[in-house]
Amino acid sequence: IYWLWKNISCDIIGVCHYKRYLLSNDDFLTKDEIETVLRDYDVILPNSLYVEGASVYEHFNLMHHIKDLDAVRDVISELYPDYLDSFDLSVRCGQITPTNMIVTRKEIFDKYCSWLFSILFEVEKRIDITGYDDYQTRIFGFLSERLTNVFFIHNSYKIKEYHFGLTNPAEYENSFLLTDTKKNEIRD
């Protein structure tokens, strides 16, 4: 995401992964579909997932080091205090936007990246990941997933969600205790 932000000039930009992609009617989302959707919506995101029986904060505490998410809140309160209510709402609910995938116009992407990376770079100065295993060293990706809703909800962007596909769906199923649903508890 950072490399795209700093190196690509275009009107519409999107991020997917080598093993995760957005789907429309069980096939890849096409350029024509993207252009059509972005006439009426500001951003395309993967379908939200919902933590079963817990808030995003409680789920993060189960899966990661909660001190890292607490550091994010501290940084937001200092750098972007107007986002603090959106952050608190996002971690109290059970909705997460996974995968760090996004499709939007470049000016929105640039605004998002400027906000996101200013937070992540400051958090990086404040947390010590010494002793984290390989999975936990991916902490900044996990934190950015939690920040996606904060940014787009706070800015009242019109969001269109699509299912995302995995080349290995079993990888996701049991490890996260998340469910896919059309319920939009914090976007409505």
Side-chain angles (χ1 to χ4, degrees), residues 16-18 20-31 33-34 162 165 167:
C16 65
H17 300 267
Y18 64 97
R20 295 184 186 120
Y21 44 89
L22 295 171
L23 296 174
S24 174
N25 299 319
D26 296 323
D27 204 353
F28 293 113
L29 189 60
T30 67
K31 178 181 183 273
E33 288 172 302
I34 289 168
Y162 280 90
T167 55

Side-chain angles (χ1 to χ4, degrees), residues 119-175:
I119 293 168
L120 293 177
F121 289 147
E122 184 58 32
V123 169
E124 184 180 30
K125 296 175 191 174
R126 298 180 187 203
I127 65 173
D128 180 7
I129 64 170
T130 304
Y132 283 19
D133 62 25
D134 288 343
Y135 179 73
Q136 294 301 336
T137 59
R138 297 169 43 208
I139 188 60
F140 298 102
F142 300 135
L143 292 172
S144 62
E145 286 177 318
R146 276 50 178 201
L147 288 168
T148 301
N149 284 342
V150 176
F151 180 82
F152 289 107
I153 291 166
H154 179 82
N155 289 290
S156 301
Y157 286 117
K158 193 171 180 186
I159 298 166
K160 175 73 173 172
E161 293 184 347
Y162 280 90
H163 290 284
F164 65 94
L166 297 165
T167 55
N168 183 7
E171 168 188 315
Y172 229 68
E173 288 174 3
N174 295 322
S175 61

Side-chain angles (χ1 to χ4, degrees), residues 1-187:
I1 294 172
Y2 185 87
W3 188 90
L4 290 172
W5 173 39
K6 294 295 187 177
N7 292 284
I8 299 296
S9 295
C10 56
D11 295 328
I12 296 172
I13 191 164
V15 178
C16 65
H17 300 267
Y18 64 97
K19 61 182 177 178
R20 295 184 186 120
Y21 44 89
L22 295 171
L23 296 174
S24 174
N25 299 319
D26 296 323
D27 204 353
F28 293 113
L29 189 60
T30 67
K31 178 181 183 273
D32 289 340
E33 288 172 302
I34 289 168
E35 289 172 346
T36 300
V37 167
L38 291 180
R39 286 186 204 127
D40 296 318
Y41 292 87
D42 300 308
V43 63
I44 298 170
L45 294 173
N47 269 6
S48 299
L49 298 179
Y50 296 86
V51 181
E52 292 183 16
S55 67
V56 168
Y57 188 85
E58 293 163 333
H59 180 260
F60 193 91
N61 189 36
L62 290 171
M63 302 298 295
H64 309 289
H65 300 279
I66 197 63
K67 68 178 179 58
D68 300 339
L69 190 58
D70 291 339
V72 168
R73 188 182 191 284
D74 291 342
V75 168
I76 288 174
S77 71
E78 294 167 20
L79 298 181
Y80 300 98
D82 55 319
Y83 280 78
L84 199 54
D85 287 344
S86 298
F87 176 84
D88 289 341
L89 174 63
S90 291
V91 298
R92 278 195 317 265
C93 76
Q95 178 181 337
I96 182 173
T97 300
T99 72
N100 289 312
M101 293 192 308
I102 177 178
V103 180
T104 190
R105 287 180 290 286
K106 184 67 161 80
E107 63 270 10
I108 294 173
F109 185 79
D110 289 349
K111 183 179 175 184
Y112 170 63
C113 287
S114 179
W115 176 85
L116 176 68
F117 287 107
S118 66
I119 293 168
L120 293 177
F121 289 147
E122 184 58 32
V123 169
E124 184 180 30
K125 296 175 191 174
R126 298 180 187 203
I127 65 173
D128 180 7
I129 64 170
T130 304
Y132 283 19
D133 62 25
D134 288 343
Y135 179 73
Q136 294 301 336
T137 59
R138 297 169 43 208
I139 188 60
F140 298 102
F142 300 135
L143 292 172
S144 62
E145 286 177 318
R146 276 50 178 201
L147 288 168
T148 301
N149 284 342
V150 176
F151 180 82
F152 289 107
I153 291 166
H154 179 82
N155 289 290
S156 301
Y157 286 117
K158 193 171 180 186
I159 298 166
K160 175 73 173 172
E161 293 184 347
Y162 280 90
H163 290 284
F164 65 94
L166 297 165
T167 55
N168 183 7
E171 168 188 315
Y172 229 68
E173 288 174 3
N174 295 322
S175 61
F176 289 94
L177 303 173
L178 299 171
T179 58
D180 185 8
T181 179
K182 294 182 180 181
K183 181 178 157 190
N184 279 319
E185 78 183 34
I186 63 173
R187 290 206 178 115

